[in-house]
Amino acid sequence: MSFLSAQNMTGGYDSVDILRDCSISVERGQIAVIVGPNGAGKSTAMKAIFGLIMIKEGSIFLEGEDISMLSPQQRVKKGMAFVPQTENVFTTLTVEENLEMGAYLRKDNIKPTKDQVFELFPILHEKRNQIAGELSGGQRQQVAVGRALMTNPSVLMLDEPTAGVSPLVTVELFERILAIKKAGVAVLMVEQNARQALEIADMGYVLVTGENKFQGTGKSLLENAEVRRSFLGG
Amino acid sequence: MDILNALVLFANFVIIPGITYGSQLALGALGVTLIFGILRFANFAHGDLMAFGTMFVILATWLLQDLGVSIFPFPTALIALPLGIISAILVSLLLDRSVYRFYRKKKSAPVVFLIASIGIMFLLNGIVRFVIGPDDRRFIDGAKFLVKVTEFKNATGLKEGLAIKLSQGITFFVALAVVISLFIFLQKTRTGKSMRAYSDNSELALLSGIDPEKVVFYAWLIAGTLAAVAGTLYGLDKSFKPFTYFQLLLPIFAAAILGGIGNPLGAIVGAYTVAFSEVTITYAYKKFLRYLVPESWEPNNLVQLLSTDYKFAVSFIILVVVLLVRPTGIFKGRVI
Amino acid sequence: MRINNRTLVVFILIAVGLLSVGFGQSWNVSLSIINLCLVSSVMALGLNVQWGNAGLLNVGVMGFTALGGLAGVLISESPVAEAWSAGGISLGLSLLMLILTIIVVIFIRKFIHNRTLRNILTVITIIAGYFLIRMFFNPAVDTIESIDSAKTGYLGGAGLPIIISWFVGAAFAAGAAWVIGKISLGLRADYFAIATLGISEIIIAILKNEDWLTRGVKNVTGLKRPVPYEIDLQQSTWFIDLSKFLGSNLTEASSIFVKLCYAGLFLLFLTLLIWITQRAVNAPWGRMMRAIRDNEDAASAMGKDVKARHLQTFIFGAAIMGMAGAMLTTLDGQFTPASYAPLRFTFVIWVMVIVGGSGNNLGSVVGAFLIWFIWVEAEPAGLWLVDTLTSGMSDDSSIREHLLRSAPHMRLIIMGFVLLLVLRFSPNGILPEKLRRYSTKVYRE
């Protein structure tokens, strides 16, 4: 079984099933990307894996342990970290305080992790005493990812990290995400920039109306004619 | 010389009372703004929480006076204050457990919390009136003045005297100490930062593993402390009457909203703004002007912009103007 | 309006309560309670229109009822001619100045487009206007208040039948609601609540302090009644005969008869108001109001002018409260500004609406009867309880004495408990609004 494995998830809000028998998994040191049209249930799948919505059927395993019934906070303790799509920084706190809040649950010395984050995102070190709300969109995303990394997670989940940032910054962010993966973290992300994302992905999932439509390595999906025609714009 | 006399007069009747009243309001507004920031509702029971804490201070003061305990020249109420703080905290936590927590779990709308706080307002108000009665009570003892009018006149040779009551001095310094410790707590400690984070973005705080119940616990702890201290200082300086404490809600809310609700620094700025507006607008300037203008211009009425009976109107007008011009307050507060 | 079993049970319970007061204490007391229950019902109905139908968090009920009460004085009292001739002209001039200031301000706001200049000029005009008004107003007030201040010292009223004041009171409250609503209806719910709380305090402060208008804390007593006086009844042969026929004490019979007259009058108006509000609620207008209440964004996206609808509802509800205020002054036969306390005139009304069932007009009436009954009977009940509990103590025990003196305040504690318990265990109240809420939840990914 994979390091993180969500199997046959069905569920959504109240009586509406947004996910139908959806399965997603990712290994340590790999990037898995979920792509698909609007309303396909990509974000819902992420929320379900993180426990922000409870699924009706299916289960989620982390390192072989069933975590389906755990609350998001308990999943954080197990080594999962989640970066929401919007409102993902504490706008009235400084950059450094944002990172400290990311490490809220840790009782040990967080300085080495903070240094690692600063090394990964040098701009954050430069602006560490600035209020996060005053930063540019790209810098905010870096704070958001940095905050999530402060728990030393084994799984990093990113919900459209490049939404609303410039193409240049997107390239830069993807580079950083590759660096995070190289450190042995399992990265799971939802992306609108499907083509770019699949290029760096080890595994790709194409979701349509809450079901797995295609899956395979990033490369194989990019080469699949139907995927290209339907989801990558030719 | 006349200018100096005018200034002393102004200081005596506007500046010193303004600072004192502003400090009392600031402590109240901080409590309201904190509960708003964390629990997201306007707490209508805050005035009565102040009265509740103060009531215990008064009861303990009476007991201590009977026992002959005194810290002259300071008022006995200062050693009774911890009891008031503890009781305000305990009742807040008890009410949170038995009332608010249920709605928190249900994720009820802020309006439901507000209506629940009206129920709590009735409850606390009734208890206070039942135990100590609805009448006006003064419980200050000890020395009366820090600076006496005659001493000041002798020392300076001015016609006008300046008096600073001990209660005014105590109000200022206690409020200062409380506010400084609160800011150190919020800015420097892990728990304080987590409270700010939760108030900023509760969803993200949950994702970071911040325990909301712990944040709420600390919020009531601080709100209870602030309420008891604010109520006691107000009672020492003026007098204790349950209904007056209920009415303080209006300037307190005005201050909190004016500064940007949810923003502690804003609450303080808002409180002094409200206090000084009330005092300057209801002060009769006749004597003050007499020192400054030639005799022939001397005003023949009180030169009072608004009678003190309408001081509530001042906080209210400020409130409405701010809300219309800048709904987020002076400092950007939370807009939901 | 369908009357179901639950409604019937609640009404029977209340009737039993009132009857037992009638047999146990006296019929006079029972009828006094009923009359105030009826007036409270009207107040609760007004609040329910605002809160139940439109979700407006009005915490200033007291202000509107007090304005209605003021109408009672201004309509029924005879005018004080000396006061008018002495201070009327300067008072009129100050009113003229007020109108002038308002016109100039409107003019400035309309025709000057530079924002800074416009704001500066507005402020200057308001300040100048304020002093101009005071220049005429202060002497006028001094003269009016000095005329026979022990008896009058104010302008008096129009000398008309007091019933007219019920409508004028409604108009006063509606006018105030229009101004208040224009300014503060755009605010968030909790800010709106605080704004209304503030305005009601200001209205009371004005009524307490503007002696030339209301006699302030000196009160206006002995307002003319719309119903017969006991003294007259006791001297008219038909009533003496009636009382003999019924075999009752003449004094008591006359007082009960008067109260019954009031009750009949109130009941008539209450029924009328319920009929009107019920029609409004069931009309397309009411459906739209609830749609707005349940999902403001969706409603405004559908092109409904939310603010204008809210203003209509606010004014409608306030007018009902104003009428209730005038009714109360009529019943009391006096206007006492100092008696208006927010707990009694705003928050108890809130408890009535919540307990009765927000959004249900009949529920407000049920809530008003129940809560007023509790509010009144909590005092003797509290006294009895304290008396029984402390009966072991000696009569001169200071604790016992204190507790007996404090017992009336138990009604506040009971109100708190009732509100919290209903909110928690039966949040829809005794008579829940019939389920016709719009379900417009929109899910987004």
Side-chain angles (χ1 to χ4, degrees), chain C residues 166-236:
Chain C
W166 295 13
F167 299 97
V168 176
F172 279 5
W178 182 75
V179 177
I180 298 165
K182 271 275 175 200
I183 299 174
S184 45
L185 268 175
L187 303 177
R188 287 167 27 188
D190 41 3
Y191 287 9
F192 179 73
I194 291 154
T196 47
L197 180 74
I199 290 171
S200 68
E201 289 287 346
I202 292 174
I203 291 175
I204 300 304
I206 293 174
L207 297 180
K208 262 192 217 167
N209 294 298
E210 298 304 316
D211 288 15
W212 60 274
L213 184 68
T214 65
R215 293 196 84 221
V217 289
K218 287 180 289 184
N219 303 336
V220 179
T221 52
L223 297 177
K224 285 187 208 75
R225 282 182 183 173
V227 297
Y229 283 82
E230 287 89 345
I231 297 285
D232 298 337
L233 285 175
Q234 285 161 21
Q235 283 159 4
S236 44

Side-chain angles (χ1 to χ4, degrees), chain B residues 36 98 130-131 305 310, chain C residues 130 134 188 210 402 406 424:
Chain B
F36 191 93
S98 52
F130 188 81
V131 175
L305 287 170
Y310 293 123
Chain C
Y130 181 76
R134 293 260 311 234
R188 287 167 27 188
E210 298 304 316
H402 172 81
S406 297
R424 170 90 170 241

Side-chain angles (χ1 to χ4, degrees), chain A residues 50 73 76 82 84 87-92 97 100-101 104-105 147, chain B residues 187 190 193-194 196-197 200-201 204-211 214:
Chain A
F50 199 71
Q73 285 77 22
V76 172
F82 182 61
E87 295 181 15
N88 49 21
V89 296
F90 298 112
T91 49
T92 57
E97 284 171 341
E100 284 170 19
M101 285 302 109
Y104 183 79
L105 285 174
R147 182 203 62 82
Chain B
Q187 295 295 332
R190 186 164 154 273
K193 285 177 191 173
S194 74
R196 279 164 54 220
D200 181 313
N201 185 337
L204 193 61
L206 288 177
L207 293 182
S208 305
I210 293 171
D211 178 8
K214 192 177 162 194

Side-chain angles (χ1 to χ4, degrees), chain B residues 36 40-42 44 95 97-99 102-103 106 111-112 114-123 125-127 129-134 137 243 246-247 249-250 253-254 257 261 301 304-307 309-310 312-313 316-317 319-320 323-325 327 334-336, chain C residues 51 57 59 115 130-131 134 138 182-184 187-191 193-199 201-202 205-210 340-344 347-348 350-351 354 375 386 402-403 406-417 419-420 423-425 427:
Chain B
F36 191 93
R40 305 274 191 272
F41 74 98
F44 269 65
L95 289 169
R97 292 264 150 143
S98 52
V99 179
F102 172 77
Y103 301 108
K106 259 180 63 182
V111 155
V112 177
L114 198 159
I115 294 172
S117 83
I118 291 177
I120 287 177
M121 181 191 87
F122 265 113
L123 213 60
N125 199 303
I127 294 171
R129 289 181 197 218
F130 188 81
V131 175
I132 207 168
R137 298 197 183 272
F243 185 61
F246 166 78
Q247 280 190 316
L249 262 188
L250 200 57
F253 271 122
I257 295 173
I261 197 147
N301 58 11
Q304 188 182 21
L305 287 170
L306 206 62
S307 125
D309 300 318
Y310 293 123
F312 281 120
F316 178 74
I317 289 165
L319 179 67
V320 168
L323 287 179
L324 292 179
V325 178
R334 180 160 266 300
V335 182
I336 297 168
Chain C
W51 163 248
L57 206 64
V59 194
R115 228 186 113 155
Y130 181 76
F131 283 103
R134 293 260 311 234
N138 287 357
K182 271 275 175 200
I183 299 174
S184 45
L187 303 177
R188 287 167 27 188
D190 41 3
Y191 287 9
I194 291 154
T196 47
L197 180 74
I199 290 171
E201 289 287 346
I202 292 174
I206 293 174
L207 297 180
K208 262 192 217 167
N209 294 298
E210 298 304 316
Y340 286 92
L343 281 178
R344 152 78 180 85
F347 293 107
V348 168
W350 265 95
V351 180
I354 305 260
W375 181 255
V386 171
H402 172 81
L403 286 178
S406 297
H409 301 302
M410 269 174 66
R411 58 158 65 141
L412 297 172
I413 302 176
I414 294 171
M415 276 302 121
F417 269 116
L419 178 58
L420 290 174
L423 197 62
R424 170 90 170 241
F425 297 106

Side-chain angles (χ1 to χ4, degrees), chain C residues 388-415:
Chain C
T388 318
L389 287 179
T390 59
S391 55
M393 300 183 194
S394 63
D395 271 349
D396 55 346
S397 153
S398 64
I399 294 180
R400 180 176 149 88
E401 206 178 300
H402 172 81
L403 286 178
L404 282 174
R405 207 171 42 240
S406 297
H409 301 302
M410 269 174 66
R411 58 158 65 141
L412 297 172
I413 302 176
I414 294 171
M415 276 302 121

Side-chain angles (χ1 to χ4, degrees), chain C residues 104-404:
Chain C
V104 174
V105 168
I106 291 174
F107 186 81
I108 291 172
R109 312 279 324 160
K110 212 161 195 172
F111 292 105
I112 294 179
H113 298 293
N114 180 324
R115 228 186 113 155
T116 332
L117 186 69
R118 189 174 60 193
N119 287 341
I120 291 171
L121 281 178
T122 311
V123 171
I124 291 175
T125 318
I126 290 174
I127 292 173
Y130 181 76
F131 283 103
L132 264 174
I133 294 164
R134 293 260 311 234
M135 212 168 86
F136 294 100
F137 184 71
N138 287 357
V141 166
D142 289 342
T143 349
I144 293 168
E145 288 178 5
S146 66
I147 290 173
D148 198 6
S149 68
K151 271 200 191 135
T152 57
Y154 78 129
L155 287 172
L160 298 167
I162 199 162
I163 284 279
I164 295 175
S165 78
W166 295 13
F167 299 97
V168 176
F172 279 5
W178 182 75
V179 177
I180 298 165
K182 271 275 175 200
I183 299 174
S184 45
L185 268 175
L187 303 177
R188 287 167 27 188
D190 41 3
Y191 287 9
F192 179 73
I194 291 154
T196 47
L197 180 74
I199 290 171
S200 68
E201 289 287 346
I202 292 174
I203 291 175
I204 300 304
I206 293 174
L207 297 180
K208 262 192 217 167
N209 294 298
E210 298 304 316
D211 288 15
W212 60 274
L213 184 68
T214 65
R215 293 196 84 221
V217 289
K218 287 180 289 184
N219 303 336
V220 179
T221 52
L223 297 177
K224 285 187 208 75
R225 282 182 183 173
V227 297
Y229 283 82
E230 287 89 345
I231 297 285
D232 298 337
L233 285 175
Q234 285 161 21
Q235 283 159 4
S236 44
T237 38
W238 69 269
F239 192 77
I240 298 172
D241 291 344
L242 183 73
S243 144
K244 263 189 202 141
F245 175 74
L246 293 169
S248 63
N249 174 309
L250 187 62
T251 335
E252 206 190 319
S254 65
S255 134
I256 287 177
F257 182 81
V258 169
K259 289 202 169 77
L260 279 173
C261 287
Y262 274 121
L265 210 50
F266 291 155
L267 197 62
L268 181 75
F269 271 78
L270 178 63
T271 317
L272 208 68
L273 285 171
I274 291 180
W275 181 72
I276 295 172
T277 45
Q278 206 59 30
R279 294 235 359 186
V281 165
N282 291 328
W285 181 83
R287 280 203 296 278
M288 181 168 61
M289 284 319 305
R290 286 189 299 278
I292 292 175
R293 176 196 65 188
D294 292 342
N295 194 331
E296 207 166 294
D297 295 335
S300 83
M302 284 187 289
K304 308 289 179 206
D305 185 349
V306 174
K307 210 176 158 185
R309 301 293 156 214
H310 276 172
L311 188 62
Q312 286 172 355
T313 325
F314 189 57
I315 292 174
F316 182 35
I320 297 177
M321 292 172 193
M323 186 177 264
M327 288 171 154
L328 186 66
T329 307
T330 308
L331 177 65
D332 290 343
Q334 57 178 357
F335 182 61
T336 51
S339 67
Y340 286 92
L343 281 178
R344 152 78 180 85
F345 281 92
T346 296
F347 293 107
V348 168
I349 310 300
W350 265 95
V351 180
M352 290 170 181
V353 171
I354 305 260
V355 168
S358 317
N360 186 321
N361 288 329
L362 202 59
S364 313
V365 177
V366 173
F369 268 79
L370 189 68
I371 294 301
W372 187 258
F373 187 77
I374 296 175
W375 181 255
V376 173
E377 289 299 317
E379 192 172 331
L383 262 176
W384 174 82
L385 187 72
V386 171
D387 199 36
T388 318
L389 287 179
T390 59
S391 55
M393 300 183 194
S394 63
D395 271 349
D396 55 346
S397 153
S398 64
I399 294 180
R400 180 176 149 88
E401 206 178 300
H402 172 81
L403 286 178
L404 282 174

